[in-house]
PDB file of all heavy atoms in Angstrom:
ATOM      1  N   ARG C1111    -164.713 -69.645  26.218  1.00  0.00           N
ATOM      2  CA  ARG C1111    -163.317 -69.689  25.809  1.00  0.00           C
ATOM      3  C   ARG C1111    -163.129 -70.741  24.725  1.00  0.00           C
ATOM      4  O   ARG C1111    -163.675 -71.844  24.801  1.00  0.00           O
ATOM      5  CB  ARG C1111    -162.419 -70.012  27.006  1.00  0.00           C
ATOM      6  CG  ARG C1111    -160.926 -70.051  26.674  1.00  0.00           C
ATOM      7  CD  ARG C1111    -160.103 -70.363  27.908  1.00  0.00           C
ATOM      8  NE  ARG C1111    -160.144 -69.262  28.854  1.00  0.00           N
ATOM      9  CZ  ARG C1111    -159.324 -68.211  28.806  1.00  0.00           C
ATOM     10  NH1 ARG C1111    -158.415 -68.123  27.834  1.00  0.00           N
ATOM     11  NH2 ARG C1111    -159.406 -67.263  29.714  1.00  0.00           N
ATOM     12  N   ASP C1112    -162.356 -70.382  23.707  1.00  0.00           N
ATOM     13  CA  ASP C1112    -161.992 -71.312  22.641  1.00  0.00           C
ATOM     14  C   ASP C1112    -160.481 -71.213  22.472  1.00  0.00           C
ATOM     15  O   ASP C1112    -159.984 -70.289  21.823  1.00  0.00           O
ATOM     16  CB  ASP C1112    -162.715 -70.961  21.344  1.00  0.00           C
ATOM     17  CG  ASP C1112    -162.448 -71.973  20.234  1.00  0.00           C
ATOM     18  OD1 ASP C1112    -161.758 -72.976  20.492  1.00  0.00           O
ATOM     19  OD2 ASP C1112    -162.931 -71.755  19.103  1.00  0.00           O
ATOM     20  N   GLY C1113    -159.765 -72.140  23.083  1.00  0.00           N
ATOM     21  CA  GLY C1113    -158.310 -72.056  23.083  1.00  0.00           C
ATOM     22  C   GLY C1113    -157.862 -70.859  23.896  1.00  0.00           C
ATOM     23  O   GLY C1113    -158.202 -70.725  25.068  1.00  0.00           O
ATOM     24  N   THR C1114    -157.123 -69.965  23.258  1.00  0.00           N
ATOM     25  CA  THR C1114    -156.634 -68.774  23.961  1.00  0.00           C
ATOM     26  C   THR C1114    -157.553 -67.572  23.786  1.00  0.00           C
ATOM     27  O   THR C1114    -157.290 -66.512  24.355  1.00  0.00           O
ATOM     28  CB  THR C1114    -155.227 -68.396  23.454  1.00  0.00           C
ATOM     29  OG1 THR C1114    -155.298 -68.109  22.047  1.00  0.00           O
ATOM     30  CG2 THR C1114    -154.238 -69.530  23.697  1.00  0.00           C
ATOM     31  N   ARG C1115    -158.614 -67.719  23.021  1.00  0.00           N
ATOM     32  CA  ARG C1115    -159.491 -66.587  22.736  1.00  0.00           C
ATOM     33  C   ARG C1115    -160.780 -66.685  23.544  1.00  0.00           C
ATOM     34  O   ARG C1115    -161.286 -67.782  23.810  1.00  0.00           O
ATOM     35  CB  ARG C1115    -159.825 -66.507  21.246  1.00  0.00           C
ATOM     36  CG  ARG C1115    -158.612 -66.492  20.341  1.00  0.00           C
ATOM     37  CD  ARG C1115    -158.955 -66.055  18.946  1.00  0.00           C
ATOM     38  NE  ARG C1115    -158.956 -64.598  18.834  1.00  0.00           N
ATOM     39  CZ  ARG C1115    -159.230 -63.944  17.705  1.00  0.00           C
ATOM     40  NH1 ARG C1115    -159.551 -64.606  16.607  1.00  0.00           N
ATOM     41  NH2 ARG C1115    -159.191 -62.633  17.666  1.00  0.00           N
ATOM     42  N   ILE C1116    -161.291 -65.521  23.919  1.00  0.00           N
ATOM     43  CA  ILE C1116    -162.552 -65.442  24.653  1.00  0.00           C
ATOM     44  C   ILE C1116    -163.573 -64.744  23.768  1.00  0.00           C
ATOM     45  O   ILE C1116    -163.290 -63.692  23.185  1.00  0.00           O
ATOM     46  CB  ILE C1116    -162.382 -64.683  25.980  1.00  0.00           C
ATOM     47  CG1 ILE C1116    -161.373 -65.404  26.871  1.00  0.00           C
ATOM     48  CG2 ILE C1116    -163.724 -64.571  26.703  1.00  0.00           C
ATOM     49  CD1 ILE C1116    -161.068 -64.679  28.162  1.00  0.00           C
ATOM     50  N   TYR C1117    -164.742 -65.352  23.670  1.00  0.00           N
ATOM     51  CA  TYR C1117    -165.816 -64.813  22.841  1.00  0.00           C
ATOM     52  C   TYR C1117    -166.977 -64.379  23.736  1.00  0.00           C
ATOM     53  O   TYR C1117    -167.276 -65.027  24.741  1.00  0.00           O
ATOM     54  CB  TYR C1117    -166.303 -65.863  21.845  1.00  0.00           C
ATOM     55  CG  TYR C1117    -165.291 -66.187  20.776  1.00  0.00           C
ATOM     56  CD1 TYR C1117    -164.279 -67.117  21.011  1.00  0.00           C
ATOM     57  CD2 TYR C1117    -165.337 -65.559  19.540  1.00  0.00           C
ATOM     58  CE1 TYR C1117    -163.337 -67.404  20.037  1.00  0.00           C
ATOM     59  CE2 TYR C1117    -164.406 -65.847  18.551  1.00  0.00           C
ATOM     60  CZ  TYR C1117    -163.408 -66.765  18.809  1.00  0.00           C
ATOM     61  OH  TYR C1117    -162.478 -67.045  17.850  1.00  0.00           O
ATOM     62  N   TYR C1118    -167.624 -63.291  23.328  1.00  0.00           N
ATOM     63  CA  TYR C1118    -168.758 -62.763  24.077  1.00  0.00           C
ATOM     64  C   TYR C1118    -169.998 -62.723  23.197  1.00  0.00           C
ATOM     65  O   TYR C1118    -169.913 -62.557  21.973  1.00  0.00           O
ATOM     66  CB  TYR C1118    -168.461 -61.350  24.591  1.00  0.00           C
ATOM     67  CG  TYR C1118    -167.528 -61.326  25.777  1.00  0.00           C
ATOM     68  CD1 TYR C1118    -166.154 -61.357  25.593  1.00  0.00           C
ATOM     69  CD2 TYR C1118    -168.020 -61.289  27.076  1.00  0.00           C
ATOM     70  CE1 TYR C1118    -165.287 -61.347  26.677  1.00  0.00           C
ATOM     71  CE2 TYR C1118    -167.165 -61.274  28.168  1.00  0.00           C
ATOM     72  CZ  TYR C1118    -165.799 -61.301  27.961  1.00  0.00           C
ATOM     73  OH  TYR C1118    -164.954 -61.295  29.036  1.00  0.00           O
ATOM     74  N   SER C1119    -171.149 -62.852  23.839  1.00  0.00           N
ATOM     75  CA  SER C1119    -172.436 -62.720  23.152  1.00  0.00           C
ATOM     76  C   SER C1119    -173.442 -62.155  24.144  1.00  0.00           C
ATOM     77  O   SER C1119    -173.214 -62.176  25.365  1.00  0.00           O
ATOM     78  CB  SER C1119    -172.915 -64.076  22.625  1.00  0.00           C
ATOM     79  OG  SER C1119    -173.045 -65.002  23.686  1.00  0.00           O
ATOM     80  N   LEU C1120    -174.545 -61.628  23.636  1.00  0.00           N
ATOM     81  CA  LEU C1120    -175.609 -61.173  24.526  1.00  0.00           C
ATOM     82  C   LEU C1120    -176.203 -62.372  25.243  1.00  0.00           C
ATOM     83  O   LEU C1120    -176.335 -63.453  24.668  1.00  0.00           O
ATOM     84  CB  LEU C1120    -176.695 -60.441  23.737  1.00  0.00           C
ATOM     85  CG  LEU C1120    -176.277 -59.160  23.003  1.00  0.00           C
ATOM     86  CD1 LEU C1120    -177.501 -58.488  22.386  1.00  0.00           C
ATOM     87  CD2 LEU C1120    -175.544 -58.194  23.920  1.00  0.00           C
ATOM     88  N   SER C1121    -176.580 -62.182  26.491  1.00  0.00           N
ATOM     89  CA  SER C1121    -177.077 -63.309  27.278  1.00  0.00           C
ATOM     90  C   SER C1121    -178.463 -63.769  26.844  1.00  0.00           C
ATOM     91  O   SER C1121    -178.835 -64.919  27.077  1.00  0.00           O
ATOM     92  CB  SER C1121    -177.086 -62.954  28.767  1.00  0.00           C
ATOM     93  OG  SER C1121    -177.828 -61.777  28.994  1.00  0.00           O
TER      94      SER C1121
END
Side-chain angles (χ1 to χ4, degrees):
R1111 181 179 291 274
D1112 185 3
T1114 61
R1115 306 195 85 180
I1116 299 176
Y1117 291 84
Y1118 284 84
S1119 59
L1120 298 186
S1121 55

